[in-house]
Every structure is written in structure tokens, then in C-alpha cells.
Amino acid sequence: MTIRLLVVDDDPLVRAGLALMLGGAEDLRIVGEAADGAEVPALVERLAPDVILMDIRMPDVDGLTATEELRGRPGAPEVVVLTTFHADEQVLRALRAGAAGFVLKDTPPAEIVAAVRRVAAGEPVLSPAVTRQLMSHVAGVPAATGGDTRRAAALTRTSLLADREREVAVEIGRGRSNAEIAAALYMSVPTVKTHVSRILAKLGFNNRVQIALLAHDAGLFDDDEPDPAT
């Protein structure tokens, strides 16, 4: 199956570079380009891309606004955020909105191609290790205005989960893989996958990174617990 790709970036040199590096992959086809988020809805309607590579910072409608609007629609294409930052507040906002992950603009071409393929297949772009880095970044950022409101909203949403689902959400928030969650909670990997699917459905989420961020916002896990990767 050919993966239909839309590239959105206000820098024509970046767009040209992405077209060059992605054009050699036989299973990828760039069906369109845009220089601003304002162009995205009409292009998505006309071109039906499977995946969008979306720059965050654009002069008119930025990638965050475009992503939030897109992911609120049924059958929306997956979004991979293009950024020059590893984990700033804008990246986190995009992930909360439902972006499937992010790649740095200086990422090697083969890794960008692999990320697009994973997203198109419904797999997470962010590894457990990167998820842990994101959670560490969130934990180290002082709560902004409205932080209490966000925590209250997160607690309300997590109250929809059954006890076992909440335990799985906590482990996802710690950046653990399905295998690590299975070992920690004494269940099989298929059972973990079932719980993850139920959590996504109950919360209306697109991916497990949103679960991890919600778990952090709700304060569901103890930040003092040793990281399983250390």
C-alpha cells in the first residue's frame, strides 16, 4: 500500500529537502505541500493524505492549531510534528491534541521514513525511552496558570477508567512498554494491549502518549519511583 503524505512547512527549502529524502521510498507518495496551517483543511479534503508532516511554527495558522482542528474530525489523517526542539511546551500541546509523535528536522532521512511508516500502520512513533524523556520534561516545568484546572479535568477523565485500566495508564505514564507493563502488573502482553485499547476508546484518545500525559496531569503516578530504564 502506498502511503499518501502531505508536507506542511513555511520554509520552501525544508519542503524541498523532505520531498527529496522521502521521494526515494517506493511506498511513500507526497500528494501535496502547504506553507501554512490555513491551507491544511482544504488539502486534506481534496487529497486525502494518510499522514501529515506538520511544522509547528508557521506565520499565519501554526501547526498546533491545525493539528487540534484536524484531530477533532472523524477519520483524520495521522500527524507527525516537525520541530527543532526535543520537548518544549508546543510539542507537548501537539501531542495532547493527538499528534502521533514528533521528529526533529535534522533527523536522518531513513528515520523520518520509518516514522511515517509506523504512524501509517497505527504504531506509536515515540519509543518508551522518548516517552520517559517527555514525562521528565513535563515534571520539570512549573505549573502554568490554569494548572489546577487541568489537573481537575484530568482526574475527571481518569475516573472513567476501571481500576485495572487506571493501573495500566499509570505504567504508560511511566514510559513503560507493553512487555514492561505486563511484567509489572502480572498480566500477559495481549491483556495489556486490550486494556490500552479500552483506555483509548473510553477517553477518546488517538495514542498512548496522550494517556501518558493525562496520567501525569492527573498526578496518578509517584514521580519518586525509580525509572525502570535505570
Side-chain angles (χ1 to χ4, degrees):
M1 183 185 73
T2 300
I3 301 168
R4 298 171 61 83
L5 189 64
L6 176 65
V7 176
V8 184
D9 196 295
D10 64 325
D11 188 337
L13 292 178
V14 171
R15 295 199 307 274
L18 288 170
L20 182 64
M21 73 174 66
L22 298 172
E26 294 183 357
D27 57 338
L28 301 185
R29 178 187 170 199
I30 297 179
V31 295
E33 298 180 8
D36 193 84
E39 304 171 44
V40 171
L43 288 174
V44 168
E45 186 72 22
R46 180 164 59 89
L47 302 174
D50 301 303
V51 178
I52 300 177
L53 282 175
M54 182 87 75
D55 185 24
I56 284 185
R57 294 171 176 82
M58 292 181 284
D60 187 6
V61 176
D62 62 33
L64 296 173
T65 302
T67 297
E68 288 169 345
E69 180 181 342
L70 276 177
R71 296 307 302 169
R73 299 181 178 186
E78 298 291 350
V79 175
V80 177
V81 172
L82 291 170
T83 180
T84 55
F85 296 87
H86 282 274
D88 64 5
E89 285 303 311
Q90 291 182 312
V91 170
L92 293 169
R93 179 180 156 194
L95 294 173
R96 284 191 173 99
F102 70 92
V103 294
L104 300 179
K105 290 187 177 181
D106 60 357
T107 298
E111 293 183 22
I112 295 181
V113 170
V116 170
R117 287 171 176 157
R118 287 199 302 272
V119 167
E123 301 172 4
V125 170
L126 301 181
S127 68
V130 174
T131 300
R132 281 192 284 267
Q133 292 174 11
L134 280 171
M135 294 305 104
S136 296
H137 176 80
V138 173
V141 175
T145 302
D148 290 342
T149 301
R150 189 166 70 188
R151 171 156 294 200
L155 285 169
T156 298
R157 298 196 76 180
T158 55
S159 69
L160 300 172
L161 304 178
D163 290 344
R164 205 59 166 158
E165 291 166 349
R166 191 175 294 106
E167 290 175 357
V168 171
V170 167
E171 300 307 321
I172 292 173
R174 290 183 176 129
R176 286 184 167 133
S177 66
N178 286 343
E180 290 171 332
I181 294 172
L185 298 181
Y186 304 101
M187 60 176 67
S188 68
V189 171
T191 299
V192 173
K193 291 181 179 178
T194 297
H195 282 307
V196 172
S197 295
R198 287 175 179 169
I199 294 168
L200 292 171
K202 284 186 176 182
L203 299 178
F205 282 166
N206 306 113
N207 56 65
R208 62 193 292 136
V209 178
Q210 289 175 293
I211 299 174
L213 290 168
L214 183 72
H216 182 275
D217 288 345
L220 293 187
F221 58 93
D222 182 359
D223 289 334
D224 292 331
E225 183 189 77
D227 191 314
T230 60

